[in-house]
């Protein structure tokens, strides 16, 4: 097999560091699959954010980040740190930040994916850092590396967690600046119908995006939608059934009138191709974390467009680094609804400077790399010893 030569000189990656931080939440947030965080909750090491710092031989630094959320996907902060430090670092030390595709090829060979992609969150954290460093080396923002942006601003969608009507109403009222509302539902038709009605009363004519996070059976979902059929602003329902049950998604499209979005059931472009072949969704939620990186997220988006599906943009309660990366990616896509990038709304701090968010509209950064300045001192000071060595 012919070897591939990579760029040399000062662009070669010299060091790779990973830090796990239990980033505090500003408000309680619950999904259909379980709690994500709360201001008074004891920090959960397994659900910490993993920050990655790449440094090239001439001192250029790239930062990446992804949240571990075992209740949503299988990776924990411990597994992400082990994968990055023991398995991905040796690959990276042979490459430059521009060798993104070669990195993913070698990572897939070392940690072979099964049905979908393997260790996507760990790989996404590294991928973001590579793009940040590459943009700084080239003197251009990350979106320029991806082909350029088509919009300067991205409107955001408020994320309303599972909760009682009073809590839901208070959150929705505080989110008046947002252009849309994503309402988390938890599998109880009575409680969920009350939450949806509460948000609809506050939202006026703004679109509502339901997200079940795999918590419903098809028959129960039909009951819920029958009870809320008079609410005309419901745009779609996301991942109502377990991620492994693509045939249930297909069956639901014949049972309900509402468009169905797939999220946890589609991590890669190949996953989505199967979904499209089975006519199992109308929209797809694109996330950098589950895709394994920026370009892989764009591959999923292009597969969706080729198959006639609309695109929804989302993250996983990202801090400022991953939030900025998402802005670069989604700045070149036509989105069906405002982007549900809820880190600025739900987290106590983002650990970066340089983001411009005004009245729930984020400006796409234009400085080289991701275009944000990372608070490295705080990340190091608050890092958790995962004790896997």
């Amino acid at each position: 097999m012919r070897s591939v030569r990579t760029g040399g000189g000062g662009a070669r990656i010299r060091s790779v560091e990973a830090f796990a931080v239990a980033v505090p939440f500003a408000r309680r947030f619950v999904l259909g699959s379980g709690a994500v965080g709360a201001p008074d909750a004891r920090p959960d090491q397994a659900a910490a954010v993993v920050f990655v710092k790449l440094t090239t031989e001439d001192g250029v630094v790239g930062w990446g980040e992804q949240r571990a959320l075992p209740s949503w996907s299988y990776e924990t902060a411990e597994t992400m740190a082990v994968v990055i430090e023991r398995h991905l670092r040796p690959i990276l030390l042979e490459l430059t930040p521009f060798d993104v595709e070669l990195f993913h090829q070698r990572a897939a060979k070392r940690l072979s994916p099964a049905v979908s992609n393997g260790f996507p969150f760990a790989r996404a954290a590294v991928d973001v850092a590579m793009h940040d460093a590459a943009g700084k080396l080239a003197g251009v923002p990350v979106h320029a590396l991806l082909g350029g942006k088509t919009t300067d601003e991205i409107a955001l969608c408020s994320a309303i967690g599972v909760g009682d009507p009073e809590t839901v109403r208070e959150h929705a009222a505080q989110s008046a600046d947002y252009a849309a509302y994503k309402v988390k539902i938890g599998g109880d038709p009575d409680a969920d119908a009350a939450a949806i009605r509460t948000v609809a009363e506050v939202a006026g004519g703004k679109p509502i995006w339901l997200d079940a996070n795999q918590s419903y059976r098809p028959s129960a979902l039909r009951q819920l939608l029958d009870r809320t059929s008079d609410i005309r602003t419901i745009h779609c329902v996301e991942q109502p059934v377990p991620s492994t049950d693509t045939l249930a998604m297909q069956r639901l499209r014949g049972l309900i009138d509402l468009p169905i979005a797939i999220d946890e059931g589609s991590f890669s472009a190949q996953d989505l191709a199967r979904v499209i072949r089975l006519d199992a969704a109308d929209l797809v939620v694109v996330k950098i974390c589950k895709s394994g990186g920026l370009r892989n997220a764009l591959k999923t988006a292009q597969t969706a467009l080729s198959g006639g599906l609309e695109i929804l943009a989302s993250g996983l309660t990202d801090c400022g680094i991953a939030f900025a990366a998402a802005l670069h990616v989604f700045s070149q896509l036509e989105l069906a609804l405002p982007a549900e990038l809820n880190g600025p709304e739900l987290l106590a701090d983002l650990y970066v400077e340089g983001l411009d968010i005004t009245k729930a509209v984020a400006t796409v950064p234009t400085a080289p790399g991701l275009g944000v300045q990372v608070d490295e001192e705080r990340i190091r000071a608050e890092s958790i010893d995962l004790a896997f060595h």
Side-chain angles (χ1 to χ4, degrees):
M1 179 179 175
R2 183 176 63 86
S3 63
V4 178
R5 293 181 61 85
T6 63
R12 184 161 169 163
I13 296 169
R14 181 189 68 204
S15 66
V16 181
E17 298 174 89
F19 311 92
V21 177
V23 174
F25 275 70
R27 64 166 69 241
R28 188 168 184 266
F29 190 52
V30 179
L31 312 180
S33 56
V36 178
D40 55 352
R42 182 176 180 273
D44 183 354
Q45 293 189 9
V49 172
V50 175
F51 294 95
V52 174
K53 179 185 179 183
L54 303 183
T55 306
T56 68
E57 290 178 340
D58 60 358
V60 173
V61 171
W63 281 94
E65 164 237 313
Q66 291 300 326
R67 170 177 298 282
L69 192 60
S71 62
W72 196 91
S73 185
Y74 63 90
E75 288 175 87
T76 68
E78 292 88 348
T79 63
M80 290 172 66
V82 169
V83 166
I84 292 167
E85 297 203 0
R86 293 188 182 173
H87 299 284
L88 301 184
R89 176 190 278 143
I91 298 169
L92 290 164
L93 296 180
E94 298 175 350
L95 303 175
T96 78
F98 296 101
D99 298 316
V100 176
E101 294 293 342
L102 187 55
F103 160 71
H104 284 293
Q105 181 190 80
R106 293 182 178 177
K109 191 171 183 179
R110 185 174 179 117
L111 299 167
S112 180
V115 175
S116 186
N117 49 9
F119 298 100
F121 285 48
R123 287 168 61 178
V126 169
D127 180 287
V128 171
M130 293 181 76
H131 279 87
D132 187 30
K136 291 172 180 174
L137 285 164
V140 299
V142 164
H143 61 74
L145 298 176
L146 303 175
K149 58 186 170 70
T150 59
T151 184
D152 296 324
E153 297 180 333
I154 295 179
L156 302 178
C157 174
S158 177
I160 310 293
V162 174
D164 61 82
E166 183 178 342
T167 302
V168 167
R169 182 180 298 278
E170 180 183 2
H171 187 168
Q174 292 172 354
S175 300
D177 286 339
Y178 287 80
Y181 294 84
K182 185 174 189 178
V183 181
K184 297 290 186 177
I185 53 178
D188 182 335
D190 290 332
D192 292 337
I196 294 166
R197 287 196 176 281
T198 298
V199 175
E201 290 171 6
V202 176
K206 295 177 183 178
I208 295 173
W209 164 5
L210 304 182
D211 185 6
N213 290 113
Q214 313 181 63
S215 63
Y216 264 88
R217 302 185 314 278
S219 58
L221 181 68
R222 189 170 180 178
Q223 292 175 34
L224 171 66
L225 298 182
D226 284 345
R227 296 178 195 184
T228 56
S229 60
D230 59 308
I231 301 175
R232 309 310 299 174
T233 52
I234 299 176
H235 188 276
C236 63
V237 58
E238 176 187 333
Q239 199 63 55
V241 298
S243 62
T244 53
D245 202 349
T246 308
L247 294 180
M249 294 280 286
Q250 180 192 55
R251 192 164 62 251
L252 268 172
R253 293 189 73 217
L255 290 175
I256 66 176
D257 294 329
L258 200 62
I260 296 176
I262 193 161
D263 185 12
E264 292 97 320
S266 176
F267 269 48
S268 67
Q270 291 83 358
D271 290 344
L272 186 59
R274 289 192 294 271
V275 171
I276 292 171
R277 184 69 178 266
L278 291 170
D279 288 329
D282 302 285
L283 309 96
V284 62
V285 179
V286 176
K287 285 184 170 83
I288 291 173
C289 58
K290 67 176 182 175
S291 303
L294 280 68
R295 295 165 200 259
N296 287 339
L298 289 173
K299 290 175 185 176
T300 295
Q302 293 305 320
T303 301
L305 295 175
S306 298
L309 272 66
E310 292 183 273
I311 297 168
L312 296 169
S314 186
L316 210 63
T317 320
D318 303 322
C319 284
I321 297 169
F323 178 86
L327 296 180
H328 287 281
V329 169
F330 296 129
S331 70
Q332 63 176 243
L333 297 176
E334 184 176 347
L335 305 177
L337 289 173
E340 193 250 332
L341 301 171
N342 57 40
E345 178 184 16
L346 298 175
L347 297 177
D349 198 0
L350 297 180
Y351 293 67
V352 301
E353 293 182 357
L355 289 172
D356 181 359
I357 305 171
T358 304
K359 288 189 175 295
V361 175
T363 299
V364 181
T366 56
L370 293 174
V372 294
Q373 299 81 50
V374 177
D375 191 345
E376 179 176 352
E377 183 177 344
R378 183 177 179 188
I379 289 171
R380 288 185 179 275
E382 297 182 7
S383 63
I384 301 167
D385 183 4
L386 297 175
F388 64 84
H389 296 287

